[in-house]
Amino acid sequence: MENKLIEKVVEGLKHLYSADVDEKQVQIQKTRKEFDGDLTVVVFPFLRASKKGPEQTAEDLGGFIQENVDEVEAFNVVKGFLNFSISKKYWLDVFSNISDQIDYGFQADSGKTIMVEYCSPNTNKPLHLGHLRNNFLGYSVANILKANGHNVVKTQIINDRGIHICKSMIAWQKFGEGETPESSGLKGDHLVGKYYVEFDKAYKVEIARLIEEGMEKAVAEKEAPIFKEAQSMLLKWEEGDAEIRVLWAKMNQWVYDGFDVSFKTMGVDFDELYYESDTYLLGKDVVAQGLAKKEFYQKEDGSVWADLSHTKLDDKILLRSDGTSVYMTQDIGTAIERYKKHTGLSGLIYTVGNEQNHHFKVLFTILEKLGYSWAEGCYHLSYGMIELPEGKMKSREGTVVDADDLMEMIVADAKAMTQERGHLDRMSEKEREELYSLIGLGGLKYFLLKVDPKKGMVFNPAESIDLNGNTGPFIQYAHARIQSLLAKAESLGFSKQYENVEINSKEQELIKLMNDYPSVIKEAGKLYSPAIIANYIYELVKEFNNFYQTVDILREEDVQKLAFRLCLSEMVAKVIKSSMLLLGVDVPNKM
RNA sequence: GGCUCCGUAGUUCAACUGGAUAGAAUGGCAGAUUUCGGCUCUGCUGGUUGGGGGUUCGAAUCCCUCCGGGGUCACCA
């Protein structure tokens, strides 16, 4: 419809003023609620062509369009805005068209493959609140890209080596007394995290002692015996020392087992895993080649740098003077590796916090400099930090919010809330437990995803499972109610067959909103933003609640209308479910 | 210090990427329905869009400049 209007506007301008206006000049938008009409054309850009005032131009154009477009029943002009009312018949046709599409809103196969990286944990401690946003975001964006017709490869790179890993290992050796997840009953990642904290404690004690003995703080930090032990362990690891490698493999496995449980609770998964222990040497040869081709330069001390003076970025070190690589080096290597493995990959999305904005800007610049044309398909899906209502939470200050604890807590809250007001009578114990986690985690996910990813946000646990407001449970509730309505209709033997009905304005609003669904999916895919989906669902649900409140459904006497309203409600439920699934949130039929 | 992102009702977020009188939710207040699900709905309250300047038919959005906040610029990972 919008395309048709654009076409006719261009035609109309030509006819009326013999002016040629490019289609791109024509802005069509949905008419705001305060005004009459469905679609609005902004006429300001045409004033130069018409040589008339905005009102007059709009009147002229409106007349032409009404004449020439059957579906346009009426128009009105407010300032420079031309509002068109589209016929009810048209909207009814739209509805019958969309209601029998199976994957309504989803785009056809694009033939493109896009890789989405998210999570990317360290194996020395459990996941925290920030990881939740990361995982939900990455997983949802992957879903959204799939809905846009792309083939998606979900991946993560696991930071399984390095000095921080050695720290947990040292502490476990020293203080662990052979403790295992089995013997302690602790989840593997929590157990390893515990020793990471142990290391830090011991380290601080040693530093304090050295300072007391008259050492400078900076020196003490490097001279502390336990720190030196960790360093020498790292060297041994790199040499492939058998004993260290066995310990390393054992402790990492504990962590992986723990993570698997967390991933399952979160409802996320991956298609392909990368381990830093396999990739950390990648990129060195690329840097060497770049140096030979004079794309990089070497300083006197032997370190290798990328010259980024053509941008506003500072030069970046790629190899240390001792020839070892830095993070950037392996990121370069890994990106190249991925494009080799997936030939024709048309996008690589990194879901990483915004503190790394600079890092990725540099990475992409260097890849471009090296002449990889695919670098423009790389995208840093950057997201802001989460704060709690009480104040900031930062991972270094020890006030980290553990992901597992948080999820457990929120499910417990959901349980309490649901038991208080839920309709659980006919549910088995298993169904109930599933429902609690559906509500708790659904609320959590929705809350974290409804905000524009780029922005920082405040997470309020209590609010996230509130049944009122822009929350997951509010939407789940609406869905459950529609299902219950449909079930009741069926038990009463109402038909869902209708021929011709006159639709009212509430129904028309709902159809218009559902008609937007495909373009919302496109928009969300273009901007990598689940928030766009979330806000759309909320709009739809509010509109439905409004309809539900003001229009009788089961009490309607006209069987045609009743049947139509059932179909309409059913379709709303379908769109709710489909769009919530894009966020990774399932919706119950009863709650 | 250089670069960069951000600042919107008391609070949490929107604003179709330059469009109409900046909208929701929550909170508070006042009502309606109390039936297909305990819910839901309506109204009121609340804003110098951090301040100032500019660009134009039109600015929360673009430019400049201050103020305030975050991030980053490691031979750390």
Side-chain angles (χ1 to χ4, degrees):
Chain A
M1 185 73 220
E2 274 146 46
N3 291 334
K4 190 167 180 183
L5 267 183
I6 291 174
E7 190 186 306
K8 289 292 171 184
V9 166
V10 173
E11 208 177 301
L13 290 166
K14 180 132 185 103
H15 175 82
L16 291 164
Y17 314 116
S18 42
D20 284 309
V21 172
D22 191 82
E23 287 191 3
K24 284 178 190 146
Q25 296 263 326
V26 184
Q27 296 177 51
I28 306 264
Q29 49 192 261
K30 290 194 290 172
T31 304
R32 297 177 64 134
K33 282 215 172 144
E34 315 89 273
F35 305 98
D36 282 337
D38 300 307
L39 291 168
T40 295
V41 175
V42 183
V43 301
F44 289 111
F46 315 138
L47 300 185
R48 203 178 304 166
S50 72
K51 299 190 178 70
K52 290 183 182 172
E55 283 85 356
Q56 189 56 49
T57 310
E59 288 288 346
D60 293 350
L61 198 54
F64 179 85
I65 302 271
Q66 193 178 1
E67 280 295 300
N68 289 282
V69 182
D70 291 342
E71 294 89 345
V72 172
E73 282 192 327
F75 72 93
N76 66 82
V77 175
V78 182
K79 293 185 187 170
F81 297 88
L82 174 54
N83 304 321
F84 292 109
S85 299
I86 314 293
S87 72
K88 290 184 185 310
K89 171 86 174 59
Y90 172 78
W91 292 117
L92 188 59
D93 287 347
V94 165
F95 177 70
S96 64
N97 182 17
I98 64 180
S99 61
D100 47 49
Q101 291 180 28
I102 297 185
D103 274 325
Y104 173 61
F106 287 34
Q107 307 300 307
D109 190 353
S110 69
K112 290 183 181 171
T113 299
I114 297 179
M115 184 177 258
V116 182
E117 175 190 302
Y118 57 97
C119 192
S120 304
N122 291 327
T123 57
N124 62 336
K125 51 188 169 191
L127 305 174
H128 56 76
L129 177 52
H131 284 111
L132 291 179
R133 190 176 198 189
N134 185 312
N135 278 284
F136 296 154
L137 192 57
Y139 183 79
S140 174
V141 166
N143 283 346
I144 290 167
L145 291 175
K146 279 185 200 165
N148 275 282
H150 308 309
N151 181 34
V152 176
V153 181
K154 289 178 280 190
T155 188
Q156 62 171 331
I157 184 157
I158 299 158
N159 300 299
D160 62 346
R161 49 133 252 139
I163 189 81
H164 54 298
I165 310 295
C166 293
K167 288 178 180 175
S168 317
M169 286 161 63
I170 284 282
W172 184 82
Q173 271 185 334
K174 284 176 123 43
F175 320 118
E177 296 171 358
E179 193 177 31
T180 66
E182 292 76 29
S183 75
S184 65
L186 274 175
K187 206 160 152 282
D189 49 336
H190 289 259
L191 178 68
V192 172
K194 177 177 143 191
Y195 286 100
Y196 186 69
V197 174
E198 288 297 325
F199 173 92
D200 212 47
K201 276 191 206 157
Y203 183 37
K204 279 191 177 130
V205 170
E206 288 184 3
I207 292 173
R209 184 171 50 81
L210 289 174
I211 291 176
E212 204 161 296
E213 288 168 14
M215 205 179 266
E216 289 288 322
K217 191 181 175 213
V219 182
E221 280 171 358
K222 287 191 176 164
E223 290 300 320
I226 197 168
F227 179 70
K228 293 192 124 180
E229 280 183 79
Q231 277 185 316
S232 82
M233 184 184 261
L234 180 59
L235 280 178
K236 279 191 191 166
W237 182 90
E238 286 184 3
E239 287 161 5
D241 180 287
E243 196 186 327
I244 300 296
R245 289 284 181 142
V246 167
L247 174 64
W248 171 74
K250 179 167 80 176
M251 290 182 71
N252 272 349
Q253 192 54 50
W254 293 345
V255 174
Y256 299 145
D257 292 343
F259 283 171
D260 282 345
V261 173
S262 301
F263 292 151
K264 204 163 173 228
T265 313
M266 284 186 235
V268 302
D269 54 32
F270 302 90
D271 303 313
E272 208 170 285
L273 302 181
Y274 287 81
Y275 294 89
E276 197 196 324
S277 52
D278 295 331
T279 64
Y280 80 108
L281 294 175
L282 286 176
K284 287 178 89 164
D285 50 338
V286 180
V287 172
Q289 287 161 22
L291 185 61
K293 286 193 233 159
K294 304 239 153 83
E295 276 151 356
F296 304 131
Y297 68 91
Q298 193 157 27
K299 286 192 179 171
E300 279 178 11
D301 62 7
S303 55
V304 178
W305 296 71
D307 177 3
L308 300 177
S309 54
H310 62 293
T311 65
K312 283 181 173 177
L313 304 164
D314 294 323
D315 286 9
K316 176 69 195 175
I317 189 164
L318 298 175
L319 288 179
R320 299 184 184 112
S321 51
D322 63 5
T324 55
S325 55
V326 294
Y327 241 50
M328 188 58 77
T329 322
Q330 64 162 304
D331 275 356
I332 293 169
T334 306
I336 294 169
E337 201 65 20
R338 287 174 176 176
Y339 275 88
K340 267 189 205 155
K341 181 166 180 185
H342 299 275
T343 43
L345 194 62
S346 52
L348 174 52
I349 293 165
Y350 295 89
T351 313
V352 182
N354 63 6
E355 68 272 11
Q356 300 220 35
N357 283 354
H358 180 259
H359 176 84
F360 282 101
K361 221 181 265 180
V362 172
L363 173 63
F364 300 157
T365 307
I366 292 176
L367 289 172
E368 258 167 47
K369 197 179 161 78
L370 286 169
Y372 294 106
S373 58
W374 44 256
E376 65 177 15
C378 293
Y379 181 77
H380 175 205
L381 177 54
S382 161
Y383 60 90
M385 209 171 57
I386 303 184
E387 289 172 23
L388 291 177
E390 302 87 56
K392 298 186 180 181
M393 72 113 220
K394 268 190 119 182
S395 66
R396 289 189 193 108
E397 289 164 6
T399 49
V400 229
V401 180
D402 181 78
D404 292 319
D405 292 350
L406 181 70
M407 290 193 286
E408 198 185 315
M409 182 200 85
I410 211 144
V411 170
D413 287 353
K415 178 175 179 176
M417 180 196 83
T418 310
Q419 282 178 335
E420 199 175 304
R421 51 176 103 184
H423 299 252
L424 302 168
D425 308 345
R426 294 208 192 129
M427 287 185 176
S428 69
E429 196 53 37
K430 186 164 171 262
E431 282 173 323
R432 290 182 194 189
E433 292 300 329
E434 277 169 6
L435 179 63
Y436 305 146
S437 83
L438 205 63
I439 295 172
L441 288 166
L444 176 61
K445 285 184 195 178
Y446 186 87
F447 201 92
L448 296 185
L449 289 174
K450 75 177 177 183
V451 179
D452 183 352
K454 288 195 290 285
K455 292 189 166 184
M457 67 174 299
V458 176
F459 171 62
N460 185 333
E463 212 174 285
S464 73
I465 55 162
D466 195 333
L467 220 42
N468 292 312
N470 188 359
T471 66
F474 174 72
I475 290 161
Q476 289 173 322
Y477 191 87
H479 181 266
R481 208 170 43 184
I482 293 175
Q483 293 306 339
S484 143
L485 171 71
L486 293 172
K488 178 137 191 173
E490 198 175 328
S491 74
L492 292 173
F494 290 131
S495 158
K496 285 192 278 191
Q497 297 294 318
Y498 65 95
E499 292 293 325
N500 237 321
V501 285
E502 176 81 0
I503 62 173
N504 66 32
S505 63
K506 302 284 183 197
E507 292 159 347
Q508 185 174 325
E509 279 307 316
L510 279 174
I511 294 171
K512 275 160 68 178
L513 269 173
M514 287 193 284
N515 188 40
D516 290 338
Y517 186 43
S519 61
V520 169
I521 288 181
K522 278 192 214 162
E523 184 77 3
K526 209 170 77 187
L527 300 176
Y528 307 109
S529 175
I532 290 176
I533 304 274
N535 286 323
Y536 168 76
I537 307 171
Y538 182 55
E539 282 302 313
L540 180 64
V541 166
K542 268 199 302 185
E543 195 62 48
F544 180 80
N545 283 341
N546 192 311
F547 160 78
Y548 179 85
Q549 170 71 18
T550 47
V551 177
D552 287 332
I553 300 176
L554 297 183
R555 286 190 301 201
E556 172 61 49
E557 289 180 358
D558 182 331
V559 281
Q560 293 275 322
K561 283 185 179 172
L562 193 156
F564 170 71
R565 285 170 193 167
L566 288 176
C567 291
L568 189 67
S569 303
E570 189 174 31
M571 188 64 197
V572 170
K574 266 162 79 177
V575 174
I576 291 173
K577 190 176 177 87
S578 154
S579 50
M580 285 294 266
L581 285 175
L582 290 179
L583 302 181
V585 181
D586 205 351
V587 287
N589 290 336
K590 287 189 263 180
M591 71 182 270

